[in-house]
Amino acid sequence: MYRQVLDPLAGSLYWSALFAALPLLTMFVLLGVFRVRAQIAAVSSLALALALAVLVWDMPVSQALSGAAEGGFYGLFPVLWILVNALWIYRLTEITGWFAVLRRSFRSVSTDQRVQGILIAFCFGALIEALAGFGAPVAITAVMLVAVGIAPLKAATVALVANTAPVAFGSMAVPLTTLAGVTGLPLEDLGAMAGRQTPLIAVFIPLVLVFLLDGRRGVKESWPVAVVAGVAFALAQFVSANYISVEVTDIIAGVVALLAVLGFLRVWQPATSTAAAEAGVDADEPENKDKPTEPAKSAEPAEERAEGSALMAFAPYLIIVALFAISQFGPVKEWLGVHGLVQFSWPGLNVETTTGQPAGAMTFKLEHLKAAGTILFLAGLLTMALYRVGPGRAVKAYGATLHQLRWTFVTVTSVLALAWVMNLSGQTVTLGTALAQTGSAFALFSPVVGWLGVAVTGSDTSANSLFGVLQVTAAHQTGLDPVLLASANSTGGVLGKMLSPQNLAVAAASIGMAGSESVIFRKVLGWSLGMLAVFAVLIYLQSTPVLGWMTV
């Protein structure tokens, strides 16, 4: 039996927290300062976390390695299982020529890439997040943005930043459902509180996307449509989370935002339009040492398709949305929950938390049928049939996708192994507990804890599992509202998702530029930290009479 210890280093919680932060600091410094390739940074940080787990936290070597193996397997399934199948569908549409039709369809709505970025990354991405979650929205929207002519690095950055406001309610509100389960707080209360926080992020995200695509000129020329998208999404998210249903919040918000933008475009268009030749230029690409060794496009020549139905071009993505919606339908969801889940104790692990409870990570849940990747694989098979792609050609496309992602496999499995080692050894809890010692000022640091959890694991659900109880305990100790701090763990965590090495790897692989994670990291770092700082102040003010009325 290994029991986690909060202060293994000389009995000091703060020195122990400093050492616990070293693997994360190492990874971020390697990515952001030394521009080391993501797979090398991830493996190096994993090695350091293992060394700290064994030498400082006194975790048995066999258990540390077993925990790393479990995390690596989780990286393969479900995370990479999602990415592989999402990119396979894209490759099928590309080699059949339908993606070119989809590109023209988007341009028929608006030739302005700033508008296209809002429609694809923000509105459509929210729908994918609502149904699938994990890395699916980034993987799918990034390739769609490239398809309309946006530069790959810029497309990846936009996809990552857009995947923030919907995350707390993603996958039919699984992060909040998990948070309610581990804390014992009512889901409706947590959802309502989150619905008074994330809309304030959503209002500004479209404006940030426009700035990323076209700088100050873009904001000046296209701010009306960005404001319409942000306000429509925020209002719909608030109303749904507080008065309709927590589970369908993102679906309602995504649809409302999409319809609002499309309706607004009927009466207003930007005075000038940024075409691919302008907005598609990315200043980092010509001198980027991490240029792709292989193009994002398939090596197989695409079929020439001079014309085609926009509905047929968009069909694979409609199939994806339909399949995820069906999987959430009552009887189907119940059947998948019973027959689509295999649970087993991960071999070689015998870990207790600091409170003497068995560590949750000792039990591995393999959701093979209801997994987002499995649904995407089924969508790929239906796309094959719809586009009449033969088995040989489809298998060749799948193999090409696996080859494209070969280094991403190393990165993602290493990052998830790192997360599991830090979680099982107690390093992550040490970090969170140290932040919780700040008394009533903890309201300022509460979203930082969630941000840290998502930055480590790449998942808001995992961060809520990890730190949900810690947030409630700190709230009781400091006299703060437990619902406020618990929801802040989830809503603050969404701002760390764009920095997670796991999601950076997904974004880089989606645009066919595995190895460019360090470039993307530097592009999103400032936005993540800046929005986190503003959001932390918001949560603090919500804990005081200044904005306390927002929580009632």
Side-chain angles (χ1 to χ4, degrees), residues 499-524:
L499 278 186
S500 166
Q502 167 192 323
N503 289 291
L504 290 171
V506 169
S510 299
I511 60 172
M513 294 183 68
S516 63
E517 291 86 353
S518 61
V519 179
I520 302 172
F521 174 81
R522 292 195 302 276
K523 286 178 174 289
V524 299

Side-chain angles (χ1 to χ4, degrees), residues 408-426:
T408 306
F409 273 74
V410 177
T411 302
V412 173
T413 53
S414 298
V415 167
L416 269 298
L418 164 69
W420 254 248
V421 171
M422 290 187 66
N423 295 346
L424 285 167
S425 65

Side-chain angles (χ1 to χ4, degrees), residues 97-185:
W98 281 107
F99 211 69
V101 179
L102 181 64
R103 182 188 302 117
R104 292 196 295 270
S105 299
F106 273 114
R107 289 174 178 170
S108 68
V109 176
S110 174
T111 58
D112 192 300
Q113 291 193 341
R114 299 163 301 193
V115 174
Q116 293 168 347
I118 293 173
L119 286 171
I120 296 171
F122 186 70
C123 300
F124 185 66
L127 291 176
I128 298 298
E129 177 66 39
L131 297 167
F134 292 95
V138 173
I140 292 172
T141 59
V143 294
M144 294 178 74
L145 290 171
V146 172
V148 296
I150 296 175
L153 286 175
K154 191 171 289 185
T157 304
V158 169
L160 284 167
V161 174
N163 191 221
T164 47
V167 170
F169 295 95
S171 300
M172 304 298 287
V174 165
L176 290 173
T177 303
T178 302
L179 185 61
V182 299
T183 62
L185 297 172

Side-chain angles (χ1 to χ4, degrees), residues 83-105:
L83 179 59
V84 169
N85 291 312
L87 292 186
W88 178 51
I89 293 172
Y90 157 69
R91 196 174 290 268
L92 290 176
T93 64
E94 184 195 8
I95 64 176
T96 54
W98 281 107
F99 211 69
V101 179
L102 181 64
R103 182 188 302 117
R104 292 196 295 270
S105 299

Side-chain angles (χ1 to χ4, degrees), residues 20 39 71 160 210 224 298 322 324 338 342 356 364 400 460 464 484 500 508 521:
Q39 63 266 26
L160 284 167
V210 168
S298 170
F324 276 112
V338 174
V342 176
F364 193 91
D460 199 40
N464 287 342
L484 173 66
S500 166
F521 174 81

